[in-house]
Amino acid sequence: MPAGAWTDEVLDRMRKTGDAAGDAAIAETYELCRQDEVRQALLGFGKNSDAPPAGLPPQLQRYFEQSSVLPEWADQELIERGRTLLGRYEALIVSTLLCASLPLCYGCADGAQVLARSQRLTSGVYRRLMETSQFVVDVLDNGGLGPRGRGIRSAQKIRLLHATMRYHVGRQVDWNPAWGLPVNQEDLAGTLMSFSVVIPRGLGRLGVDLPTEERDAFFHVWRVIGHILGVDDRLNPPAFEDGAALFDTILRRRQKSSQAGIVLTKGVLDFIREVLPGPAFAGVGPTLVRYLIGDRAADLVEVPSADFSKTALQAGSVVNCGYGKTGDTAPLAAKAASELGLVVFKNGLRLTNKGRRHEWQVPTGLTESQPS
């Protein structure tokens, strides 16, 4: 759809639209009372080449078979070119995800209502953020969408988690229909663009001026993932410029402060303080968030004031990234992002959790979260 077609009427309709294939698979699983069995069966189902476990409910079996096939427009050369950005900018990508993509999503009040409730589907904020970071790595890793990769399976599991949220949250007595269908198509599209649009924009803010061809290839990778995630084709445009226009339209429509968004953002900032401990790094999270998304968006989720003087990055710290000119905001921001991203990527994704992967699991229902 051309950008001009994303009218309020169209997007209002998309707020009432879910995902037929994912919803049918989850509904049948619960109707058959097989949710615990399915969850256990999918725990070891991680590589794209793994066959779906035998004996799944018919709709779920069909779901995995159909959503495993890449769309006919998927371009392998573009996928390979786009995914190489992770190898070059992994630290900055992870930091942009934490300090730009997520806070912008949390600043959309209606969608944040679902995300706040989804904390009950995981074992805590730390695990949830590590799972999200791991998903980005799965998609952009070498061969992530190929037979030996994990990107497709990770996306399929997240799609089922979305369907589980719609199944449960939509039945809660305190769910306000004015917020739209839980995890509706407009919110799915906004979340997808928070990866495909916000990450290249964030890299630009951090001094990485991507060539148009690389930016477009990165966008193509996430368009393929959006297809696997069940994003409506009308909200999954082929060109970066259209995706950026759609994302900005969604922000215009949906940005509003909410207690849910404030709490979710605080969880991200607490996570950053945990992985970068000590008073020398106290200002990294708020400073990066405000630098990457701007004061207006940061104010909606009550991010504390930015202060580069508190990041203590002018004189080398954990990693010497070659940045740090006194008084030069962009290099300091890039160094802060590199510090944070490298710690999350190396110490978090590779070394924590006793060597096990942080990956999305299909929940059996809404339960109170447990400490990580």
Side-chain angles (χ1 to χ4, degrees):
M1 294 178 68
W6 295 312
T7 63
D8 287 341
E9 180 182 3
V10 169
L11 293 175
D12 285 346
R13 189 163 60 248
M14 289 296 178
R15 292 203 69 75
K16 302 175 183 177
T17 306
D19 165 24
D23 292 342
I26 289 298
E28 181 186 57
T29 297
Y30 278 93
E31 288 167 3
L32 297 174
C33 298
R34 296 182 61 185
Q35 58 267 29
D36 293 305
E37 171 194 340
V38 165
R39 182 180 186 277
Q40 289 299 318
L42 297 182
L43 285 178
F45 178 52
K47 291 188 177 180
N48 300 337
S49 58
D50 291 345
L56 292 176
Q59 293 278 15
L60 191 58
Q61 182 76 32
R62 189 174 303 113
Y63 161 83
F64 276 113
E65 292 172 353
Q66 294 178 349
S67 61
S68 295
V69 180
L70 297 186
E72 60 181 13
W73 45 260
D75 187 318
Q76 292 297 331
E77 290 186 9
L78 285 178
I79 290 173
E80 176 60 23
R81 184 169 189 170
R83 72 101 197 148
T84 60
L85 295 187
L86 180 68
R88 281 178 285 163
Y89 308 116
E90 62 187 18
L92 299 183
I93 286 174
V94 170
S95 292
T96 302
L97 168 68
L98 293 174
C99 298
S101 301
L102 295 180
L104 283 173
C105 288
Y106 299 161
C108 295
D110 294 343
Q113 302 298 332
V114 188
L115 295 171
R117 285 165 168 78
S118 74
Q119 296 294 340
R120 286 177 274 176
L121 292 174
T122 65
S123 59
V125 173
Y126 182 90
R127 179 185 176 91
R128 176 65 180 272
L129 294 177
M130 294 309 299
E131 287 170 340
T132 302
S133 299
Q134 184 67 65
F135 170 57
V136 173
V137 172
D138 287 346
V139 169
L140 299 179
D141 200 7
N142 186 16
L145 298 182
R148 297 183 180 180
R150 297 176 178 268
I152 294 174
R153 295 307 188 206
S154 291
Q156 288 175 316
K157 289 183 180 181
I158 291 176
R159 185 174 175 180
L160 290 178
L161 184 144
H162 292 160
T164 303
M165 290 303 301
R166 280 189 295 272
Y167 183 89
H168 287 287
V169 173
R171 290 167 166 79
Q172 291 182 331
V173 296
D174 64 342
W175 180 257
N176 186 346
W179 295 333
L181 184 73
V183 200
N184 59 72
Q185 283 292 329
E186 184 182 31
D187 289 344
L188 285 172
T191 302
L192 178 65
M193 301 306 147
S194 76
F195 291 95
S196 62
V197 171
V198 174
I199 288 178
R201 284 178 169 177
L203 290 177
R205 287 284 289 161
L206 295 171
V208 178
D209 189 13
L210 293 176
T212 300
E213 295 79 7
E214 292 188 354
R215 181 203 66 184
D216 291 347
F218 184 84
F219 184 84
H220 183 77
V221 174
W222 287 104
R223 186 187 179 212
V224 173
I225 291 299
H227 177 85
I228 299 170
L229 287 170
V231 176
D232 191 292
D233 288 344
R234 291 168 290 182
L235 299 184
N236 193 10
F240 178 89
E241 290 82 1
D242 286 339
L246 173 59
F247 185 69
D248 292 341
T249 299
I250 292 173
L251 290 183
R252 173 185 60 77
R253 284 167 46 85
R254 293 297 155 196
Q255 276 189 316
K256 185 174 64 175
S257 184
S258 68
Q259 189 60 34
I262 292 168
V263 170
L264 288 163
T265 304
K266 182 179 183 299
V268 174
L269 296 176
D270 289 346
F271 169 78
I272 293 172
R273 281 194 294 271
E274 180 179 340
V275 299
L276 289 178
F281 296 97
V284 169
T287 299
L288 279 177
V289 172
R290 286 191 172 273
Y291 180 74
L292 289 172
I293 72 175
D295 288 333
R296 177 183 174 275
D299 286 343
L300 292 176
V301 288
E302 296 189 0
V303 175
S305 299
D307 187 351
F308 274 100
S309 68
K310 293 182 179 178
T311 63
L313 294 171
Q314 278 97 327
S317 47
V318 181
V319 179
N320 181 4
C321 301
Y323 298 106
K325 295 180 182 178
T326 302
D328 194 336
T329 300
L332 284 176
K335 184 174 183 182
S338 293
E339 296 281 358
L340 172 60
L342 284 172
V343 170
V344 172
F345 192 83
K346 292 182 178 180
N347 296 344
L349 295 180
R350 292 178 176 174
L351 302 179
T352 63
N353 206 29
K354 299 180 180 179
R356 300 190 301 273
R357 287 171 43 80
H358 292 274
E359 60 179 293
W360 295 91
Q361 297 179 9
V362 180
T364 58
L366 292 174
T367 58
E368 293 299 324
S369 61
Q370 299 297 319
S372 297

